[in-house]
Amino acid sequence: NRSLVEWLGYSREAWLDCGIMNVGAWPADDAEFLRAWNRILSEGSARFDSVPTVAADGRRYEADISGNLFEVRGMRLVQLNIRDVTERRRAEEALRESEERFRLFAESARDYAFVLLDPDRRVIGWNAGAENLLGFKAEEIIGQSGFDCVTIEKATEYAAEDADVTLRLWRVLKSRLPGEHVTTVYETLERPLV
């Protein structure tokens, strides 16, 4: 179809004359693509993620491919849905890297308490800073109610500082909250602390 021609740059004629196995997008000896193709032929349908794909100009992509085998007037036909997922995969990898950097930062911070609570307000994450500032080891607090385990005296100083920082950030960032769709996060999690 036209979208495939525009995306990969092989002409319609090339697809029709050479066939999908020889046009060049998936080399005829590519084991992953051959496995996908043979599975479609043997099982009638298949889905494969992140199949290496090469455009006519040599650019490389990742494609999710799903295929179905049909019989029309005694002839077996394969219908493929091919979707470029290159940017999505890059974004997923960037997110994983960012999460790992934040995890390493949060775990190593000793002057700041990072406490993660589940929707029932049970502690599911506790860093070295929380241990240092609040006096509980992670194994003592994980699974407990975050509000029952910390004395009011210990919580007051930290909460006052957190509320002050939250209020200062809100003053600077309040005009951006609606545009970035984080108003609810602020209103339900941070504002009650202020």
Side-chain angles (χ1 to χ4, degrees), residues 147 159 162-163 166 189-194:
F147 297 106
D162 187 51
T166 300
L189 295 178
E190 296 294 339
R191 187 172 182 189
L193 296 174
V194 177

Side-chain angles (χ1 to χ4, degrees), residues 5-168:
V5 169
E6 289 173 3
W7 171 38
L8 294 177
Y10 297 101
S11 69
R12 183 176 186 276
E13 293 72 28
W15 288 104
L16 294 173
D17 293 342
C18 297
I20 194 161
M21 298 299 286
N22 298 311
V23 76
W26 303 280
D29 61 350
D30 184 290
E32 189 170 357
F33 186 75
L34 286 173
R35 189 168 21 96
W37 185 258
N38 289 329
R39 186 167 164 201
I40 293 166
L41 295 177
S42 65
E43 297 178 18
S45 67
R47 176 179 170 83
F48 294 87
D49 297 329
S50 300
V51 177
T53 304
V54 181
D57 64 6
R59 285 177 293 151
R60 299 194 173 275
Y61 296 96
E62 289 185 53
D64 285 355
I65 300 175
S66 59
N68 297 290
L69 179 65
F70 298 98
E71 190 166 321
V72 178
R73 291 184 225 133
M75 194 168 38
R76 291 175 16 139
L77 301 173
V78 174
Q79 175 260 327
L80 295 176
N81 292 314
I82 304 165
R83 185 170 43 144
D84 178 10
V85 293
T86 307
E87 289 305 315
R88 186 176 82 203
R89 295 291 189 263
R90 286 182 189 148
E92 289 169 353
E93 182 58 29
L95 178 60
R96 271 192 294 278
E97 290 172 2
S98 175
E99 287 171 344
E100 179 64 11
R101 281 192 305 274
F102 180 76
R103 183 188 65 76
L104 292 171
F105 166 74
E107 286 178 357
S108 65
R110 297 208 37 86
D111 296 333
Y112 296 95
F114 288 97
V115 179
L116 298 176
L117 304 176
D118 69 11
D120 295 323
R121 296 185 175 155
R122 300 233 175 262
V123 177
I124 58 172
W126 189 264
N127 76 333
E131 186 175 313
N132 184 42
L133 296 169
L134 301 174
F136 292 96
K137 294 193 178 299
E139 54 270 10
E140 296 173 312
I141 193 92
I142 299 292
Q144 303 295 318
S145 169
F147 297 106
D148 294 342
C149 296
V150 178
T151 65
I152 193 69
E153 293 80 19
K154 287 197 180 250
T156 302
E157 182 181 338
Y158 181 78
E161 185 178 334
D162 187 51
D164 180 57
V165 170
T166 300
L167 183 59
R168 289 177 190 210

